[in-house]
Amino acid sequence: MISRAALMGLVTLAWHGLVRRPTRSGLVVAGVTVAVFLFCTVDAMRTGVERATSRASQETALIVYRQNRFCPFTSALPQYYENAIRKIPGVVSVTPVKIVVSNCRASLDVVTFRGVPSEAFAKDHATHASSDAMANWLKRGDSALIGRELADRRRLKAGDRFTAAGVDAYVAGIMESDAPQDQSSAFVHLPFLQEQSKRGSTGGIVTQFDVRISDPTKLDEVALAIDAQFATDQTPTTTRAETAHVARAATDVIALIGFARLLGFAALAAVFALVANAIVLSMRSRQREVSVLQTLGFGGAHLATLVMVEAMLLGSVGGILGAGASYATVALARTAFTMEGVAIAVPPSIAIATLGLVIAITLSLAAGVVPALIAARQSIVAGFRS
Amino acid sequence: MHTTDAIITCAALEKHYTRGGETVRVLESIDLSLDRGAFVALMGPSGSGKTTLLNLFAGIDRHTAGSLTVDGHDIAHLSRAALAAWRAACVGYIFQLYHLVPVLTAYENVELPLYLQPLSRRERHRRVSEALDSVGIADRYAHYPRQLSGGQEQRVAIARAIVTQPALLLADEPTGDLDRVAAAGVMDLLAHLHRDRGQTIVMVTHDPATAHHAQRTVFLEKGRLLETPEVRR
Ligand SMILES: Nc1ncnc2c1ncn2[C@@H]1O[C@H](COP(=O)(O)OP(=O)(O)O)[C@@H](O)[C@H]1O
Ligand SMILES: [Mg+2]
């Protein structure tokens, strides 16, 4: 219906119209950029939370915590529970962990020390750190292996010393692990952390047990068995799947992100309103130009295409800038929410950036439909008399 | 050098507008035949229907009754899209207020109608350059309309109207907004197009001196053709 040459001419005309009216199109593009940035960034947070808190079908990790305690400062369990837990059918491994955090509340800059049994940890995580780093770590009592995210955030490298939460440690090396909890933690020797931590009793007390089981379908069953084991003890336990444990700690953050998501959608609605408004105003002030184009022989389909191309250009330039800025920000900031000792990383995602761009373009095109139809049907003579 | 077949024929042509429930007969029983290759001036007092008649010839407005044939096409029977395609191929229109697209340079304005024709980029470039050269604007390709004088703008607008080599060139008071010197330049240009290229031109004008350039003058008054004093030269 429209020849290639005509389409090329219309794209050129639309492009020049936007670039050579920089103030007007700049404002619209800036608005779209901000909205898409907001949407993509909130969606990246939501994705991080979802990934950390929705149970995977193959999940085999349990966290044993002190019953009715919700913070590493107050959860205290006897280390000797370890042996009892190990004997429960289905349990593959048990790691007693002492956790010390610099801040128990929701925050973006928390240091989480995890005190772990040295030999077992070195064996389990042999692939996550260089052999030098691991050897270094085993050699020194006050040494720490630092998760990649934490290392980047605090700019730490092997050989540094650093202090947080009243614990002073030596950096033996950096740990590369995909698990979000690993990435934002500093792993130290369990006895060292028990000694350093001044709160409550020291030796023989841990914050939690990390339990691995063999059969993912038995997750709930094993959890109940563990809690039953200590139900009548002085320090009863609550055992949850790791994702459920994170989800419980992150309740507030999840609610906040749910709300922020509404803002993200509102921002997208704003994109629609912004582009629609810009195009309606632009076409209204260009009725005469439309009549001139019609006189030159451009038909309804050409004019509708011109308007749609303008809408698409506004949406895609703003979309690319907003989605790109969001991706870069998330990637560079390497943010992780940490609350009550659990961490939720916010991962940069090409898929989310693409989604943001596609939504921006789609909404812009939708915003262009009515003005496009109006332009296509405009009476030439009426346009000249306007 | 012009042949004598008619490029425009209208019989009992009527144009009515309804305004506030009342019918205004802007053009009434127009019978007219204009020769191919002619330079015709259309004169008459303000509001007599000159622009309306020109718009009917251009296919940018539709008549209410009667018949109108332009360059062999019965205008009433063309669809909206077909009419647009016909305009692209057959009609060049020059406005009193130039109506160049403000965000395009002189060159780009002239190039615009050529996008509707199956031409290579190179051929487009050749034709735009030739059109701009022929109106004496060769040194202002990259200027925007706001950077040109009124006379220069109108020259660019003429280049845009003739770049497609239309069978029919229509001009609605092309010098109405220009000073005397610029107006004389534009009239010389139109006369030259007619004389050297055999371009058919129908031009609306107020000014008898301007009408002098034409071979034939047609008078309109209150929507009717005046039989006399039509002048043929
Ligand atoms: N679209 C329209 N609707 C209503 N009246 C119109 C329209 N176009 C022109 N007219 C009327 O038709 C008459 C002739 O207008 P026009 O052809 O512009 O005159 P001229 O060009 O001779 O000055 C005027 O009275 C004008 O108001
Ligand atoms: Mg007029």
Side-chain angles (χ1 to χ4, degrees):
Chain A
M1 188 157 65
I2 292 181
S3 70
R4 258 178 67 154
L7 187 62
M8 207 177 88
L10 292 169
V11 170
T12 311
L13 177 57
W15 176 253
H16 286 161
L18 296 181
V19 173
R20 294 172 187 174
R21 290 183 182 105
T23 323
R24 194 170 62 194
S25 26
L27 284 173
V28 180
V29 167
V32 175
T33 302
V34 170
V36 172
F37 177 86
L38 191 60
F39 172 82
C40 288
T41 308
V42 169
D43 213 49
M45 291 177 185
R46 184 192 58 79
T47 309
V49 169
E50 206 165 273
R51 208 178 57 175
T53 60
S54 41
R55 184 189 286 198
S57 57
Q58 292 306 306
E59 186 167 358
T60 55
L62 289 171
I63 306 283
V64 182
Y65 223 61
R66 175 85 170 264
Q67 196 178 59
N68 297 327
R69 300 292 164 84
F70 305 111
C71 173
F73 287 133
T74 55
S75 177
L77 294 169
Q79 197 176 335
Y80 64 78
Y81 276 13
E82 179 183 350
N83 294 324
I85 296 172
R86 188 164 286 129
K87 288 195 190 103
I88 291 171
V91 170
V92 175
S93 74
V94 182
T95 313
V97 183
K98 170 78 184 170
I99 294 181
V100 173
V101 292
S102 59
N103 182 350
C104 200
R105 287 176 301 182
S107 167
L108 292 175
D109 182 29
V110 175
V111 177
T112 307
F113 285 101
R114 289 170 179 264
V116 287
S118 317
E119 298 296 337
F121 182 84
K123 212 172 73 198
D124 287 353
H125 291 268
T127 57
H128 294 154
S130 69
S131 49
D132 275 3
M134 206 50 103
N136 241 346
W137 185 68
L138 285 171
K139 236 183 325 199
R140 287 184 65 148
D142 64 344
S143 61
L145 280 171
I146 310 285
R148 166 57 61 196
E149 188 267 316
L150 176 61
D152 288 348
R153 177 150 47 88
R154 289 272 171 134
R155 299 201 166 71
L156 295 172
K157 56 183 191 313
D160 291 350
R161 288 203 74 86
F162 84 110
T163 305
V167 178
D168 183 43
Y170 163 82
V171 180
I174 310 299
M175 240 183 71
E176 309 284 355
S177 156
D178 288 337
Q181 302 309 320
D182 292 353
Q183 286 178 24
S184 48
S185 294
F187 290 90
V188 293
H189 303 285
L190 179 56
F192 166 72
L193 195 59
Q194 284 170 329
E195 237 160 75
Q196 289 271 315
S197 128
K198 306 282 190 302
R199 281 167 206 271
S201 9
T202 52
I205 299 294
V206 297
T207 309
Q208 66 185 38
F209 295 93
D210 291 359
V211 177
R212 295 249 160 225
I213 65 166
S214 51
D215 181 357
T217 63
K218 299 256 164 62
L219 207 60
D220 296 323
E221 197 177 305
V222 176
L224 287 172
I226 293 172
D227 291 342
Q229 174 85 31
F230 307 111
T232 56
D233 242 82
Q234 222 179 357
T235 48
T237 59
T238 299
T239 304
R240 297 187 189 89
E242 186 178 28
T243 50
H245 178 75
V246 174
R248 203 216 55 74
T251 311
D252 295 349
V253 166
I254 290 171
L256 263 176
I257 285 175
F259 179 69
R261 221 174 169 224
L262 289 182
L263 292 184
F265 284 121
L268 290 180
V271 168
F272 180 81
L274 196 71
V275 178
N277 182 55
I279 293 176
V280 166
L281 287 182
S282 162
M283 293 321 289
R284 193 170 293 167
S285 67
R286 283 158 61 200
Q287 283 183 45
R288 197 163 296 171
E289 188 177 313
V290 168
S291 285
V292 170
L293 291 173
Q294 286 175 304
T295 303
L296 294 180
F298 288 90
H302 292 118
L303 289 158
T305 304
L306 175 67
V307 177
M308 294 304 275
V309 168
E310 284 192 22
M312 199 188 71
L313 287 175
L314 287 172
S316 40
V317 172
I320 287 171
L321 291 178
S326 170
Y327 184 90
T329 306
V330 170
L332 292 177
R334 297 191 134 270
T335 316
F337 301 105
T338 311
M339 54 260 119
E340 299 171 17
V342 307
I344 293 177
V346 179
S349 153
I350 293 283
I352 290 175
T354 311
L355 178 69
L357 176 58
V358 167
I359 291 178
I361 293 176
T362 309
L363 287 178
S364 299
L365 285 177
V369 168
V370 170
L373 289 178
I374 292 174
R377 291 177 187 172
Q378 182 186 302
S379 146
I380 306 180
V381 180
F384 280 129
R385 289 171 71 92
S386 70
Chain B
M1 65 166 275
H2 62 270
T3 52
T4 49
D5 66 319
I7 191 166
I8 298 175
T9 318
C10 45
L13 190 69
E14 303 263 332
K15 176 64 185 176
H16 305 168
Y17 285 112
T18 36
R19 215 169 3 192
E22 196 185 329
T23 301
V24 186
R25 309 182 72 183
V26 177
L27 293 174
E28 288 184 77
S29 49
I30 306 280
D31 295 300
L32 187 65
S33 175
L34 301 180
D35 293 343
R36 192 180 294 277
F39 187 171
V40 180
L42 192 54
M43 293 191 72
S46 189
S48 57
K50 304 182 297 293
T51 297
T52 305
L53 186 58
L54 207 66
N55 288 349
L56 294 181
F57 292 167
I60 64 178
D61 202 357
R62 290 202 187 252
H63 55 274
T64 313
S67 72
L68 172 62
T69 308
V70 183
D71 196 28
H73 289 85
D74 181 353
I75 296 299
H77 291 105
L78 292 179
S79 71
R80 237 180 107 92
L83 198 56
W86 172 76
R87 279 196 303 272
C90 300
V91 180
Y93 201 114
I94 301 164
F95 305 93
Q96 179 178 354
L97 297 175
Y98 337 124
H99 289 332
L100 297 176
V101 178
V103 293
L104 298 182
T105 62
Y107 182 93
E108 290 161 348
N109 264 286
V110 177
E111 188 178 27
L112 205 47
L114 289 184
Y115 283 115
L116 293 170
Q117 308 207 350
L119 299 175
S120 68
R121 204 189 155 86
R122 201 148 152 214
E123 176 63 10
R124 263 203 324 268
H125 178 75
R126 195 188 64 72
R127 293 212 196 172
V128 174
S129 308
E130 188 190 278
L132 279 169
D133 290 353
S134 71
V135 298
I137 288 291
D139 55 341
R140 291 193 164 59
Y141 280 20
H143 285 55
Y144 289 94
R146 63 171 184 281
Q147 299 168 324
L148 298 171
S149 70
Q152 290 166 337
E153 275 197 79
Q154 192 60 298
R155 283 165 183 275
V156 174
I158 292 171
R160 181 178 67 181
I162 61 170
V163 74
T164 56
Q165 298 165 351
L168 180 61
L169 182 61
L170 303 170
D172 192 359
E173 305 197 35
T175 58
D177 210 51
L178 299 177
D179 62 53
R180 262 223 303 219
V181 177
V186 164
M187 282 320 301
D188 283 347
L189 183 56
L190 290 178
H192 163 84
L193 283 172
H194 168 248
R195 203 175 48 240
D196 294 4
R197 300 194 188 181
Q199 177 72 56
T200 310
I201 302 176
V202 180
M203 174 185 71
V204 170
T205 181
H206 256 104
D207 178 11
T210 305
H212 252 85
H213 288 270
Q215 297 168 303
R216 179 182 172 192
T217 303
V218 175
F219 290 92
L220 264 181
E221 197 168 288
K222 291 182 183 159
R224 288 178 177 274
L225 279 183
L226 290 187
E227 297 303 326
T228 50
E230 181 169 308
V231 182
R232 274 182 194 259
R233 259 186 290 268

